[in-house]
């Protein structure tokens, strides 16, 4: 989407080569590489961007996104995009954010269904290594387990982790349904992403080229989340056809009740930019 818009605006003079599936390194590594100018652009999860700017973890706070429609609106909201740019600029050197994106919402999966918060008691849950996850999952009664994403399949197979949580496409593509055949649609967290450009590239562009790059990034913020959720629905249909058990009637009230007081504390601990973003997200109707 970014490349298509960039080529259209620049009349084919600017384009990007894409390297999916961690070909250029892990998300934490690519964040560093864009800062040093070894990579021109990177689209990575806001959760993993928290290695460079902890306040980025605000987008991982549970149940601040009410549903798919709310998440789509938030990511395309100019005020929120502006606030997230400020948030990253406060800490990150060598690169800056130009757009937001999504890979859908996150859900829990394992060998048993999660229908209510009590079902998580004592469960070893693989989570991303963020303060948000380390605070919220234990509040639900789970034990948190950290490991790189590439090791999750084996961990689920061997019982190092009982469950994991991620977007539907990630669950499908990485075949996590094999060791964890029950997918519970908890929608507990958004799988948000941020698009960064290296300052090295940015400073080498003319004013006109910068406008094209920013306009292409704006197109991502506006249109990519809707496309991402469509892909999630298609992945869900595929999984159901394959015989994966999908739990759609999750009672989220218990989770939401536990996470509500944690939301403000987490944002406050993260910092003033996180508090500002949290309030803006809540106010999007």
């Amino acid at each position: 989407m970014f490349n298509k818009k960039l080529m259209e605006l620049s009349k084919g003079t600017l384009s990007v080569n894409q390297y999916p599936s961690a070909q250029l390194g892990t998300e934490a590594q690519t964040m560093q590489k864009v800062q040093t100018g070894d990579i021109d652009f990177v689209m990575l999860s806001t959760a993993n961007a928290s290695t460079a700017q902890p306040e980025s973890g605000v987008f991982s706070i549970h149940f601040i996104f009410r549903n798919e429609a709310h998440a789509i609106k938030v990511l395309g909201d100019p005020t929120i995009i502006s606030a997230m740019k400020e948030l990253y600029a406060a800490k990150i050197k060598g690169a800056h954010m130009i757009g937001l994106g999504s890979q859908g919402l996150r859900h829990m999966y394992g060998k048993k269904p999660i229908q209510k918060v009590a079902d998580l008691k004592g469960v070893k849950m693989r989570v991303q290594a963020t303060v948000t996850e380390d605070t919220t999952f234990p509040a639900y009664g789970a034990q948190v387990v950290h490991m790189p994403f590439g090791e999750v399949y084996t961990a689920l197979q061997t019982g190092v982790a009982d469950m994991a949580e991620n977007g539907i496409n990630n669950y499908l593509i990485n075949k996590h349904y094999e060791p964890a055949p029950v997918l519970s649609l908890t929608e507990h967290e958004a799988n948000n992403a941020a698009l960064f450009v290296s300052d090295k590239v940015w400073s080498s562009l003319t004013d006109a080229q910068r406008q094209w790059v920013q306009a292409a990034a704006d197109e991502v913020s506006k249109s990519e989340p809707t496309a991402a959720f469509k892909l999630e629905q298609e992945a869900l249909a595929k999984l159901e056809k394959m015989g994966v058990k999908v739990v759609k009637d999750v009672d989220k009230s218990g989770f939401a009740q536990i996470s509500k007081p944690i939301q403000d504390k987490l944002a406050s601990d993260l910092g003033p930019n996180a508090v500002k973003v949290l309030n803006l997200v809540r106010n999007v109707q």
Side-chain angles (χ1 to χ4, degrees):
M1 205 175 271
F2 180 66
N3 188 46
K4 189 180 167 191
K5 192 69 179 172
L6 188 57
M7 286 185 74
E8 178 196 310
L9 293 167
S10 68
K11 300 194 168 41
T13 58
L14 289 183
S15 67
V16 292
N17 294 318
Q18 295 179 56
Y19 297 89
S21 309
Q23 288 176 45
L24 302 179
T26 65
E27 292 217 323
Q29 287 165 341
T30 55
M31 182 76 231
Q32 287 174 335
K33 286 177 183 177
V34 82
Q35 289 176 268
T36 54
D38 297 313
I39 294 177
D40 302 331
F41 298 94
V42 71
M43 181 92 163
L44 81 167
S45 75
T46 54
N48 286 323
S50 69
T51 56
Q53 163 51 313
E55 284 188 278
S56 179
V58 67
F59 259 10
S60 299
I61 294 176
H62 287 203
F63 294 103
I64 63 170
F65 296 92
R66 296 189 283 276
N67 48 40
E68 290 184 6
H70 181 240
I72 289 167
K73 269 195 175 166
V74 165
L75 296 170
D77 187 294
T79 319
I80 286 172
I81 293 168
S82 171
M84 287 300 284
K85 282 181 180 178
E86 278 174 32
L87 180 148
Y88 289 118
K91 188 97 179 189
I92 288 175
K93 303 281 174 271
H96 65 274
M97 190 202 102
I98 51 173
L100 291 173
S102 174
Q103 284 125 22
L105 295 172
R106 293 175 82 88
H107 312 279
M108 301 179 199
Y109 50 86
K111 290 182 176 68
K112 68 167 194 170
I114 298 295
Q115 271 165 320
K116 55 190 184 304
V117 73
D119 296 338
L120 273 185
K121 193 162 177 59
V123 165
K124 287 181 289 186
M125 175 73 71
R126 183 269 170 182
V127 301
Q128 299 171 101
T130 67
V131 176
T132 308
E133 310 296 37
D134 288 351
T135 308
T136 314
F137 273 102
Y140 297 150
Q143 297 174 40
V144 297
V145 184
H146 295 165
M147 71 198 59
F149 184 67
E151 293 171 22
V152 175
Y153 185 102
T154 312
L156 289 165
Q157 221 176 12
T158 56
V160 169
D162 300 321
M163 298 191 77
E165 47 85 55
N166 215 314
I168 301 168
N169 255 304
N170 282 328
Y171 173 70
L172 170 66
I173 293 162
N174 295 282
K175 298 188 174 180
H176 286 182
Y177 54 83
E178 290 176 352
V182 185
L183 173 65
S184 302
L185 301 183
T186 49
E187 294 187 329
H188 56 277
E189 184 184 329
N191 237 1
N192 292 329
L195 178 60
F196 291 90
V197 60
S198 81
D199 285 346
K200 184 179 168 188
V201 162
W202 191 251
S203 58
S204 74
L205 300 174
T206 65
D207 286 348
Q209 288 171 328
R210 284 181 190 177
Q211 282 173 359
W212 299 335
V213 167
Q214 187 54 64
D218 293 344
E219 178 68 19
V220 170
S221 303
K222 189 181 84 182
S223 309
E224 188 274 348
T226 303
F229 279 107
K230 186 169 177 282
L231 289 172
E232 289 289 275
Q233 294 305 331
E234 288 168 10
L236 188 64
K238 271 184 204 164
L239 287 160
E240 286 185 296
K241 266 192 188 152
M242 287 158 56
V244 167
K245 182 178 177 182
V246 178
V247 181
K248 294 180 180 176
D249 58 341
V250 179
D251 177 7
K252 294 178 211 152
S253 60
F255 291 102
Q257 210 177 342
I258 290 168
S259 62
K260 185 78 174 78
I262 297 174
Q263 292 174 352
D264 291 301
K265 183 177 186 320
L266 280 171
S268 168
D269 288 350
L270 287 168
N273 289 299
V275 172
K276 180 182 174 181
V277 168
L278 176 61
N279 288 325
L280 287 172
V281 169
R282 284 173 174 165
N283 290 333
V284 170
Q285 294 308 315

